[in-house]
Amino acid sequence: KFDEENGANSAPQVQTKTTMTSNENNKNNGTTASNTTQPPSLFCSIGSPETSLSNETVQQKVNEFLSALGPRRDVLILPPDFTRFHSQAGMITRFVSEYYNFTKPENPTTSTANTAAAAASSSPSPPASVPKLQIIPALGTHAPMTHSQIDLMFGKELASKTNDPDVENPFVVHNWRDDVVTIGYAPATMVSEATYGMVHEPWPAQLNKLVWERRKDNHDASSSDLPPLVLSIGQVVPHEVMGMANFNKNLFVGVGGVEAINLSHFIGAVHGMEKLMGRGQNPLRSILNYASETFLQTNLDLWYILTVMGTNDKTGEVEIKGLYIGRDEECYNLACDLSLKVNFNLLEKSPKKMVVYLNEEYHSTWLGNKSIYRTRMAIDDGGELVVLAPSVEMFGEDGHIDELIRKVGYVGTPKIMEEMGKDEDLKNNLSAVA
């Protein structure tokens, strides 16, 4: 039931262009930039429904990108949490850590292959000095990652540093209630448009304090080093609140604060999931884009490394269909175009009954409700949805939101709006209402 003409963006074809590097041509129709101290805003764009990127190719492209950026003393990485385990963001985070010699290569064979590939493309060697490196998983409202999840997602070398008494733990747990600062506001007119006039107040752009500390004007201008580097890593995939996940959502929601997350979730719910899912451009994303262009691009040396994952038609395995590296909306738009092609199943008719199985990643209804979001545009009116969820053990990821959901229940839009009008606690926790 998805109208492809109103999809992620208006571009009719997936683009597979990138800036050329030396004399190298990539078999997947993508290349990367030459060795400059400041790479072009779109450094890498590789992707098509037929593309299957190997881990070695991804590591080579990441290494070339980091080489083009030049040496850094301070690197902050913002990957997703375990709920995006299959995004390969954990692997890419590991590649960044290995490039900067923060951790030893977990796969020596891959490392050797990439060293040879880097030499063949005239890429400079990785830096001799090890920068300060921190990783803040973009939890949003989710529960903190466990040690075993960090091990599975980011590898044993990085996981071992979480309990090494001789080194500072590189992983920082984001607390969406206490660890944030408001850096500016998107206009109330944008919020009013997105909520059909229901809410007329500015949207607060909030970030984890450690991210905002990396802004350029905090950097010693007399130093010859480049400013702190912020890398936002993740997967672009259809999303029930944002239309498409990741890009600046990774910052303003993933490491954002209570007010911003509550209002953004509420805006998404009021605007309507059917008008958002799979659409890269929508009123809520416009709010985030405004905040990103106004506050982030001018203040942070911020780059995005985005993947698009899809299923191999022959093997049934999930693989990397696209890799996009850039610092502005262009790389996100290209990733959206590809995601629309590989992450939607368009059915000839609406099923009367659908069955969804939720694996161990889904331990709450907050996450497990994706079983509804991702089938409701296909299932027949009056149809039946069966959800098998053996790992679900709570409602909300956040303790207080869990309490509110237990208090009110899943009762439908009219009833929950009525309850919100009577309950100040609900009014102050709009993400629970959503």
Side-chain angles (χ1 to χ4, degrees), residues 12-332:
Q13 299 292 332
V14 168
Q15 301 181 41
T16 55
K17 70 180 181 70
T18 56
T19 306
M20 296 298 290
T21 172
S22 60
N23 295 317
E24 181 191 15
N25 288 316
N26 186 275
K27 64 182 179 180
N28 293 303
N29 297 322
T31 55
T32 52
S34 59
N35 294 323
T36 60
T37 54
Q38 188 67 5
S41 60
L42 179 64
F43 182 86
C44 177
S45 172
I46 309 173
S48 74
E50 293 74 37
T51 297
S52 177
L53 293 175
S54 68
N55 295 349
E56 290 78 13
T57 297
V58 172
Q59 185 170 20
Q60 179 185 340
K61 298 305 177 186
V62 169
N63 286 355
E64 290 174 0
F65 164 64
L66 297 175
S67 295
L69 286 174
R72 300 298 172 107
R73 287 190 177 183
D74 188 349
V75 178
L76 176 64
I77 307 174
L78 307 175
D81 63 8
F82 197 70
T83 62
R84 289 284 187 273
F85 174 77
H86 294 290
S87 66
Q88 296 303 318
M91 178 185 73
I92 294 173
T93 299
R94 178 165 58 82
F95 290 162
V96 174
S97 176
E98 292 174 3
Y99 172 84
Y100 286 113
N101 295 317
F102 188 76
T103 49
K104 297 181 295 184
E106 297 214 2
N107 188 335
T109 303
T110 300
S111 177
T112 301
N114 274 280
T115 301
S121 62
S122 301
S123 297
S125 300
S129 60
V130 179
K132 174 184 179 182
L133 189 145
Q134 286 186 303
I135 303 167
I136 308 180
L139 297 174
T141 62
H142 298 172
M145 293 182 69
T146 64
H147 179 81
S148 62
Q149 289 175 339
I150 291 174
D151 189 313
L152 282 171
M153 185 164 176
F154 298 102
K156 295 188 179 300
E157 288 292 328
L158 275 171
S160 68
K161 290 183 178 290
T162 63
N163 51 20
D164 187 340
D166 296 326
V167 298
E168 182 181 356
N169 184 355
F171 286 90
V172 178
V173 177
H174 173 66
N175 185 324
W176 70 304
R177 296 191 181 276
D178 300 320
D179 294 347
V180 299
V181 59
T182 300
I183 64 174
Y185 291 86
T189 52
M190 299 184 75
V191 176
S192 179
E193 177 189 350
T195 59
Y196 306 106
M198 287 185 62
V199 180
H200 190 79
E201 62 183 68
W203 180 81
Q206 297 179 314
L207 285 178
N208 186 288
K209 296 174 184 176
L210 292 179
V211 180
W212 195 234
E213 285 175 3
R214 265 67 176 194
R215 64 190 183 276
K216 296 173 186 177
D217 61 8
N218 269 8
H219 180 64
D220 183 2
S222 65
S223 171
S224 60
D225 292 330
L226 290 171
L229 174 62
V230 181
L231 297 174
S232 177
I233 305 174
Q235 176 187 2
V236 172
V237 65
H239 189 270
E240 59 278 0
V241 176
M242 283 294 169
M244 287 286 189
N246 220 268
F247 186 47
N248 43 32
K249 173 185 180 289
N250 215 38
L251 287 102
F252 291 127
V253 176
V255 291
V258 172
E259 296 174 24
I261 294 176
N262 277 339
L263 187 52
S264 64
H265 277 72
F266 187 71
I267 291 171
V270 170
H271 190 74
M273 193 220 76
E274 286 84 359
K275 298 176 183 177
L276 290 171
M277 181 73 88
R279 291 164 172 84
Q281 301 302 328
N282 57 71
L284 180 54
R285 179 63 75 173
S286 294
I287 291 172
L288 268 65
N289 287 350
Y290 171 90
S292 185
E293 293 167 5
T294 305
F295 309 117
L296 298 187
Q297 288 180 210
T298 56
N299 285 292
L300 298 174
D301 193 12
L302 168 65
W303 292 81
Y304 299 93
I305 303 177
L306 305 176
T307 63
V308 175
M309 309 299 296
T311 302
N312 185 297
D313 291 336
K314 294 181 179 178
T315 67
E317 297 293 321
V318 176
E319 59 187 9
I320 303 176
K321 293 291 188 181
L323 177 68
Y324 303 87
I325 303 175
R327 62 176 308 149
D328 57 28
E329 193 177 347
E330 185 178 9
C331 71
Y332 163 72

